[in-house]
Amino acid sequence: MYLLLDIGNSRTKAVIYENGKFTLLSDLNLQSIAPYRFIAVYVACVGFDEHVEQLQYTLGLTHLPWYRLVSQTAAFGVVNRYATPERLGVDRWLAILGADSLLQAKNLMIVDAGTALTIDWLDMSQQHQGGWIIPGLRLQQEAVIKNTARVGSTPDDSQELILGVNTQDCVKNGALAALCGAIRAGWQLKPTDVIFLTGGDAPKLAQYLSDLPVQLDPLLIFRGIARYIAT
């Protein structure tokens, strides 16, 4: 039994992994992990190293091996397009590997809708084609609010793809429109067989992309991590 951690910029997600089965933990603390006996901890971290060290102590798991994953030139047949492979965010790399584990010999578009919205393309020969990084829903709103005079708004998670009739609605709905538009533009630029959508804002975006070949998968990064355990 393994503990898998995805430490992002704004939150940490945790999964219990055993015999090919993923169990998502709603909370990560001493009480939530107490019933389990882990062999090791596998970590994907795009935040500060101190976050990993802190979790080792707060979870009482300093006695276990902790494996910190990094992006590679190639793994499991998947080839990284970056000239400096380790500069590709490990969350993006693992999401690509996760998507590849579900569908091979297909052209894939992998969208991770978190603090930032990342889009990556993987072709049917497992070659990473490149990607985009775009501010996520909350970051887009904060950018407008902080850098525009007299907006008088606050970031909000209640976006709808409708026209706003006040400034706050215009800002939050505009952010949603921008991300949906970016995904559509990406698919028009380089169409794929499937668009994998993961991350905290994925369900919200998916409801406005129903005409595209979208497949929601909240475990995509963890599927990528699990491939390293199998080796």
Side-chain angles (χ1 to χ4, degrees), residues 48-61:
F48 296 107
D49 292 341
E50 291 80 4
H51 292 171
V52 178
E53 296 171 7
Q54 183 180 10
L55 277 173
Q56 288 178 311
Y57 288 95
T58 57
L59 297 176
L61 298 177

Side-chain angles (χ1 to χ4, degrees), residues 72-73 80-88 128:
Q72 299 175 279
T73 302
N80 189 336
R81 180 67 181 271
Y82 267 34
T84 309
E86 63 272 17
R87 296 297 298 273
L88 176 70
H128 177 225

Side-chain angles (χ1 to χ4, degrees), residues 61-228:
L61 298 177
T62 55
H63 61 289
L64 293 179
W66 284 59
Y67 299 106
R68 177 85 176 264
L69 301 178
V70 297
S71 299
Q72 299 175 279
T73 302
F76 314 106
V78 177
V79 178
N80 189 336
R81 180 67 181 271
Y82 267 34
T84 309
E86 63 272 17
R87 296 297 298 273
L88 176 70
V90 68
D91 53 342
R92 293 170 62 193
W93 174 243
L94 292 169
I96 292 168
L97 292 181
D100 178 72
S101 74
L102 294 173
L103 276 180
Q104 293 186 350
K106 297 284 186 181
N107 291 310
L108 306 177
M109 183 172 164
I110 301 105
V111 181
D112 188 352
T115 302
L117 182 96
T118 62
I119 306 177
D120 285 281
W121 282 262
L122 186 70
D123 71 15
M124 62 176 57
S125 61
Q126 296 180 289
Q127 305 289 311
H128 177 225
Q129 298 295 296
W132 293 342
I133 302 174
I134 304 161
L137 282 176
R138 185 160 285 265
L139 283 183
Q140 295 225 19
Q141 295 174 74
E142 290 175 349
V144 174
I145 293 164
K146 291 179 180 178
N147 297 287
T148 306
R150 299 182 182 179
V151 168
S153 182
T154 56
D156 194 317
D157 294 325
S158 59
Q159 301 88 355
E160 295 181 84
L161 203 57
I162 59 175
L163 303 183
V165 292
N166 58 64
T167 300
Q168 177 138 345
D169 286 351
C170 287
V171 171
K172 67 183 183 182
N173 295 349
L176 178 61
L179 295 191
C180 290
I183 294 169
R184 289 184 178 280
W187 193 76
Q188 290 172 359
L189 177 69
K190 199 170 184 62
T192 58
D193 298 297
V194 173
I195 300 173
F196 278 108
L197 198 53
T198 195
D201 289 324
K204 181 173 292 185
L205 295 172
Q207 62 184 305
Y208 298 108
L209 302 168
S210 58
D211 56 313
L212 298 181
V214 169
Q215 184 170 323
L216 272 172
D217 192 323
L219 297 172
L220 210 57
I221 288 175
F222 294 110
R223 295 187 194 281
I225 295 175
R227 298 186 80 172
Y228 285 94

